[in-house]
C-alpha cells in the first residue's frame, strides 16, 4: 500500500524553512512548545477564518515570542490603525501567559499560495458555483503567475449526487517525488448544502537544478518564485 506524506513536511530543510523556531533546554520543554504551537495555530485560524492567511511562522522562548502572519488581506487583519492586532496580542497574552508580538506581512502573489487558493475554491463551492468551472479558473490563474504546475482534487457529493466521488484537475508538472521541487500544499473542507466537500491543492513553484543550482519553472531558467 502507498504511504502518503505531507509534501511540505518532507521538504523542510531541503527547499523549505521551518515554520517554527524555538529550542527547549529539556525534552519536556520541547514537547510543551510543540503543543503550544498547535494551540496557537488553531487560535489564529479561529480568530481570523478565511482571511487569506498563507502561512504562520512562530518564533518564541519561554517568556516571549513573535508570530509572523503572511496574508493577502493585510487590512482585514490589521484593522484601522492596527487596532485588531493590538487586541489580538492582548488575547494571546491572556490565553497563553506570555508576550507574543504579532507581525503581519503581505503576500505578493496570493495565486501561488495553496492555502489561499484552497480557501477561494471552498468559498466558491459554498456559494453553489459549478466545481469544474471554479477549478479550471483557479488553474488558469495560478499558471498565469508563473507556476510550474498545479493539481487540484475535489471530493464528496459533487453536484449533489447520491454517491460521493473525486475529481482531479492537473495543469503543468507536479513532481511530488522530487525533493528539489518547491511544492506548496493545502487541504481543507467546504461546508455545502449537500454535505462536506474536501479540497486539496498542490502548487509547484520551481525546481532546483542540482547541476547549476538554478531554480527553473515552466522548463526555462528563471528566478525563484516567491509569495
Amino acid at each position: 500500500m502507498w504511504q502518503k506524506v505531507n509534501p511540505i513536511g518532507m521538504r523542510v530543510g531541503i527547499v523549505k524553512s521551518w515554520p517554527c523556531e524555538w529550542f527547549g533546554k529539556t525534552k519536556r520543554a520541547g514537547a510543551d512548545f510543540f503543543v503550544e504551537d498547535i494551540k496557537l495555530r488553531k487560535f489564529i485560524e479561529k480568530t481570523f477564518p478565511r482571511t487569506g492567511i498563507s502561512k504562520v511562522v512562530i518564533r518564541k522562548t519561554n517568556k516571549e515570542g513573535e508570530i509572523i502572519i503572511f496574508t493577502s488581506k493585510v487590512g482585514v487583519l490589521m484593522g484601522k490603525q492596527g487596532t485588531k492586532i493590538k487586541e489580538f496580542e492582548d488575547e494571546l497574552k491572556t490565553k497563553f501567559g506570555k508576550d507574543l508580538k504579532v507581525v503581519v506581512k503581505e503576500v505578493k502573489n496570493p495565486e501561488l499560495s495553496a492555502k489561499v487558493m484552497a480557501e477561494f475554491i471552498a468559498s466558491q463551492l459554498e456559494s453553489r458555483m459549478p466545481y469544474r468551472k471554479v477549478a479550471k479558473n483557479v488553474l488558469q490563474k495560478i499558471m498565469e503567475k508563473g507556476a510550474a504546475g498545479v493539481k487540484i482534487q475535489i471530493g464528496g457529493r459533487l453536484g449533489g449526487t447520491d454517491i460521493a466521488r473525486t475529481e482531479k484537475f492537473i495543469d503543468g508538472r507536479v513532481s511530488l517525488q522530487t525533493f528539489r521541487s518547491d511544492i506548496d500544499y493545502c487541504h481543507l473542507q467546504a461546508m455545502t448544502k449537500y454535505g462536506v466537500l474536501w479540497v486539496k491543492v498542490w502548487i509547484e513553484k520551481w525546481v532546483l537544478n542540482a547541476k547549476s543550482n538554478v531554480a527553473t519553472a515552466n522548463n526555462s531558467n528563471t528566478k525563484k518564485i516567491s509569495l
Side-chain angles (χ1 to χ4, degrees), residues 34-116:
F34 178 73
V35 174
E36 189 179 54
D37 280 359
I38 296 175
K39 293 180 180 179
L40 278 170
R41 294 180 186 277
K42 288 183 178 179
F43 187 66
I44 292 172
E45 288 293 332
K46 184 179 178 181
T47 307
F48 305 108
R50 295 194 181 179
T51 51
I53 295 178
S54 175
K55 67 176 180 177
V56 177
V57 178
I58 300 175
R59 301 170 179 171
K60 64 182 180 181
T61 60
N62 289 326
K63 297 181 180 180
E64 59 183 3
E66 181 184 38
I67 300 175
I68 305 175
I69 301 176
F70 294 85
T71 177
S72 59
K73 302 177 182 178
V74 178
V76 177
L77 264 71
M78 295 289 292
K80 189 175 182 180
Q81 297 179 352
T83 54
K84 286 187 177 181
I85 290 299
K86 293 178 182 177
E87 294 175 358
F88 183 61
E89 288 178 349
D90 295 338
E91 292 177 1
L92 289 173
K93 186 174 182 180
T94 303
K95 187 175 180 63
F96 297 96
K98 62 174 62 176
D99 293 328
L100 294 170
K101 182 181 178 182
V102 180
V103 179
V104 180
K105 293 187 177 182
E106 184 180 5
V107 176
K108 297 180 181 178
N109 296 319
E111 291 82 5
L112 296 177
S113 172
K115 189 172 185 298
V116 175

Side-chain angles (χ1 to χ4, degrees), residues 126-179:
E126 291 174 352
S127 301
R128 303 183 184 181
M129 293 291 292
Y131 68 93
R132 286 194 180 91
K133 182 178 180 181
V134 172
K136 290 179 181 179
N137 289 340
V138 171
L139 284 176
Q140 184 178 359
K141 287 182 180 180
I142 296 173
M143 295 302 292
E144 286 177 353
K145 288 296 181 178
V150 191
K151 182 168 75 169
I152 299 174
Q153 282 188 0
I154 304 175
R157 294 184 59 190
L158 301 176
T161 57
D162 294 334
I163 300 176
R165 67 181 190 277
T166 301
E167 291 282 347
K168 185 186 299 184
F169 305 88
I170 303 176
D171 193 358
R173 167 188 170 180
V174 182
S175 53
L176 297 178
Q177 296 181 352
T178 305
F179 285 178

Side-chain angles (χ1 to χ4, degrees), residues 3-14:
Q3 183 177 359
K4 298 180 181 179
V5 297
N6 191 297
I8 298 177
M10 69 185 299
R11 287 170 174 80
V12 171
I14 302 174

